[in-house]
Amino acid sequence: MPADRWTWARRGRYGSASVSGADPIQALLLTAWLLANLIAFSLFGMDKRRARRGLRRLPERTLLLWAMAGGSAGALAGRRLFRHKTRKQPFSTLLWLIVAAQAIAAAAWALL
């Protein structure tokens, strides 16, 4: 069967499917994105636990930087699950601005 332009994947040397030669880069980016989301989610949980125990808190800058580093989905999930910093201003506004900027960047990248 001849390969045509509608083929999504091609077989590599060991029979694994690949989309293009950039797969290691895409895998690295996906791994970094997942790690940033996991860290952001965990930091929201850790900060909530510290708040309940009366311990020293994480700076808001740290939470926002991890959201900006690609962990905005994890930050939103942690914020909702732990009910943490839901009414805090300007933190909420800054977090939503980060989410909007990342959504616009992802849409622009998808159009390339």
Side-chain angles (χ1 to χ4, degrees):
M1 173 182 252
D4 60 7
R5 65 185 185 145
W6 300 109
T7 303
W8 284 88
R10 63 176 188 249
R11 292 280 173 187
R13 181 174 176 183
Y14 299 106
S16 62
S18 65
V19 178
S20 68
D23 279 345
I25 295 171
Q26 290 175 350
L28 181 64
L29 289 174
L30 179 63
T31 303
W33 179 77
L34 289 172
L35 185 62
N37 279 292
L38 180 64
I39 291 171
F41 180 82
S42 300
L43 287 176
F44 270 80
M46 186 182 348
D47 194 41
K48 180 66 173 191
R49 180 182 298 168
R50 288 180 176 195
R52 285 186 177 169
R53 293 181 179 181
L55 299 174
R56 185 172 177 194
R57 307 276 302 279
L58 293 173
E60 289 182 354
R61 182 185 339 174
T62 302
L63 298 173
L64 289 173
L65 283 175
W66 276 104
M68 198 179 311
S72 59
L76 289 176
R79 183 175 181 237
R80 182 172 175 108
L81 180 71
F82 301 119
R83 296 184 201 160
H84 189 52
K85 296 204 179 280
T86 56
R87 293 181 285 170
K88 180 84 172 170
Q89 289 298 335
F91 182 86
S92 292
T93 303
L94 291 172
L95 183 59
W96 281 109
L97 286 173
I98 291 169
V99 170
Q102 288 181 356
I104 290 168
W109 188 48
L111 292 176
L112 293 177

